[in-house]
Amino acid sequence: MRFRHPDGSTVHLAYCTNVHPAETLDGVLAQLRDHCEPVRRRLGRDRLGIGLWLARDAAHALVTDPSALRALRCELDRRGLEVVTLNGFPYEGFGAEEVKYRVYRPDWADPERLDHTTALARVLAGLLPDDVTEGSISTLPLAWRTALPRTSGSARADRTTTAARAEAGRTALIALAQRLDALAELTGRSIRVGLEPEPGCVVETTADAIAPLTAIGHDRIGICVDTCHLATSFEDPHTALDALTRAGVPVVKSQLSAALHAEHPHLPEVREALAAFDEPRFLHQTRTSPTLNSVRAGGAPIAAGLRGTDDLGEALKGDTLPDGAPWRAHFHVPLHAAPTAPLTSTLPVLKAALTRLVGGPRPLTHHLEVETYTWQALPPELRPRARAQLADGIAAELTLARDLLTDLGLKELP
């Protein structure tokens, strides 16, 4: 879906296909047929943007076989679909029964991450519509914190390992920027890559992203603002985006998503409601604001003064996490359907972020992507039971996002 911003530029809205995980090119083609085109038809649109997730094997097949890439481009056109952005965060296995920490491997200290992201950039350059010259890719925010700690350990060997991995990640991103420059010169297509801050990672917040990105200092390497992650870390959208703007860090794309919010986590009924979202497939990092909990013990210390746990189940165990202030969990809940009381979602944070991202005189980013990949991880009574129900839900999320954009003065284009 395309929108005309009041400044005359085009803002793209897509939904991310990691909700229909597939590891192979055949699986990707099946997604287009079974899921993406039906969503487009429900919206009554001739054209729908999708943010493709391409696992390692699918990306390799496309980058090594020009005919396969042409065939995918033709299939997108035939089904009324277009691609301006890719989700490059998961490497493989996102459809596994248990993903958890696996999604953070390989990290940016491993050569496989650079090679995979380079392949994705080459693929995206070949998939962009004829009238679009800029594409975006979201990626892992360097590493999970235990693979690349924020501070060195006490042992000299630990310090050496940490420093080496940090330097390897920085060097890889510089190499990526150089490859993106060469790709632009070769194809005329500008592909940018954004680190996606996520709770528990080395780059957990937008503030964490400023130092490494300004050190790299290249306009093709920026940030992907995920509004669920932003909310989970209790970041104020306006403060965060103003800081990025002052630092000159480009917002490559934004993923529109909402986190799970519990206003009164000390109440037994709230704990019971949260427990229904504690599931075995994905990691649901849980955070609480330090403001009202400064005198309470418990919970691991987290960046920017937050306290939190790596997963929701851990937070629910006794007094592991202070419960005198609201909790937020990294669980992407459907945008249009907040959980019933006593829980809710952080949709207000998404709305505030979107206002700052595209509601001003000039958009901070031109690529927006609805990313609710947890439909099948919802409590059983909330899960879609058939493809048609999932398509209905995704279409409803995109309708909500469309309405938010038009309320901000953007005009939907045919």
Side-chain angles (χ1 to χ4, degrees):
M1 301 169 75
R2 299 187 184 192
F3 297 81
R4 182 73 68 205
H5 190 272
D7 76 344
S9 63
T10 300
V11 172
H12 296 266
L13 173 66
Y15 90 89
C16 187
T17 64
N18 62 355
V19 65
H20 326 293
E23 300 291 317
T24 66
L25 181 53
D26 285 344
V28 171
L29 295 172
Q31 288 176 348
L32 305 185
R33 179 193 67 228
D34 296 338
H35 300 287
C36 301
E37 185 177 8
V39 170
R40 178 183 65 77
R41 292 186 181 280
R42 278 164 172 76
L43 291 167
R45 305 291 303 169
D46 293 332
R47 174 174 54 189
L48 175 67
I50 58 172
L52 273 181
W53 172 61
L54 297 172
R56 178 195 61 179
D57 289 349
H60 179 76
L62 290 166
V63 82
T64 57
D65 184 353
S67 66
L69 184 58
R70 289 193 297 270
L72 175 57
R73 173 69 184 275
C74 290
E75 188 70 1
L76 289 166
D77 292 341
R78 187 169 75 87
R79 298 193 181 279
L81 306 169
E82 66 177 13
V83 175
V84 303
T85 189
L86 300 180
N87 186 332
F89 196 132
Y91 180 70
E92 61 183 350
F94 202 61
E97 291 184 3
E98 181 177 334
V99 178
K100 299 289 184 181
Y101 296 94
R102 292 173 52 189
V103 75
Y104 307 105
R105 298 193 296 265
D107 63 33
W108 273 101
D110 295 321
E112 292 88 348
R113 177 61 64 172
L114 173 59
D115 292 343
H116 177 60
T117 309
T118 302
L120 291 177
R122 292 172 59 190
V123 168
L124 181 55
L127 292 180
L128 289 177
D130 292 339
D131 61 343
V132 175
T133 59
E134 295 185 357
S136 62
I137 301 171
S138 49
T139 190
L140 178 78
L142 296 183
W144 182 256
R145 68 180 187 276
T146 53
L148 186 57
R150 295 179 184 279
T151 57
S152 58
S154 57
R156 182 173 181 178
D158 289 342
R159 289 197 298 270
T160 302
T161 300
T162 299
R165 292 188 69 80
E167 180 61 22
R170 187 185 73 85
T171 300
L173 286 169
I174 292 173
L176 175 66
Q178 294 169 344
R179 294 181 184 184
L180 295 176
D181 282 343
L183 182 65
E185 185 174 351
L186 178 66
T187 66
R189 304 296 180 89
S190 175
I191 307 300
R192 298 194 298 168
V193 173
L195 300 183
E196 182 185 330
E198 176 166 316
C201 292
V202 172
V203 176
E204 170 152 340
T205 66
T206 56
D208 294 336
I210 290 175
L213 290 176
T214 52
I216 292 169
H218 197 292
D219 62 4
R220 296 195 200 282
I221 308 296
I223 192 169
C224 168
V225 176
D226 183 301
T227 59
C228 170
H229 303 172
L230 191 80
T232 302
S233 294
F234 286 87
E235 290 194 80
D236 174 71
H238 294 284
T239 301
L241 292 168
D242 285 348
L244 293 173
T245 300
R246 287 194 302 270
V249 174
V251 181
V252 170
K253 65 184 280 190
S254 180
Q255 289 172 327
L256 306 183
S257 53
L260 191 63
H261 180 94
E263 185 69 18
H264 302 292
H266 65 285
L267 296 176
E269 60 268 30
V270 176
R271 295 287 185 113
E272 182 180 358
L274 283 170
F277 287 84
D278 178 29
E279 54 83 36
R281 184 173 176 186
F282 299 111
L283 205 60
H284 301 297
Q285 304 93 309
T286 304
R287 300 288 183 266
T288 186
S289 170
T291 306
L292 299 178
N293 281 320
S294 57
V295 297
R296 295 285 305 273
I302 302 296
L306 295 177
R307 303 193 73 84
T309 58
D310 283 358
D311 214 346
L312 179 57
E314 182 184 353
L316 291 169
K317 293 178 180 177
D319 59 356
T320 302
L321 193 63
D323 58 9
W327 287 4
R328 290 176 178 172
H330 173 218
F331 195 118
H332 291 223
V333 296
L335 302 186
H336 68 293
T340 57
L343 303 179
T344 187
S345 80
T346 60
L347 184 62
V349 177
L350 183 158
K351 292 179 178 179
L354 194 60
T355 298
R356 183 69 180 86
L357 286 165
V358 300
R362 290 181 177 82
L364 298 183
T365 183
H366 291 88
H367 291 178
L368 304 173
E369 178 183 64
V370 171
E371 195 211 15
T372 305
Y373 59 83
T374 44
W375 281 93
Q376 298 302 336
L378 290 167
E381 66 275 11
L382 301 179
R383 294 175 195 167
R385 301 186 184 280
R387 288 178 185 169
Q389 288 181 303
L390 179 58
D392 289 342
I394 294 169
E397 288 192 294
L398 286 167
T399 297
L400 182 147
R402 178 196 64 196
D403 292 346
L404 292 177
L405 290 174
T406 55
D407 287 346
L408 290 171
L410 283 73
K411 180 181 179 182
E412 187 176 7
L413 297 175

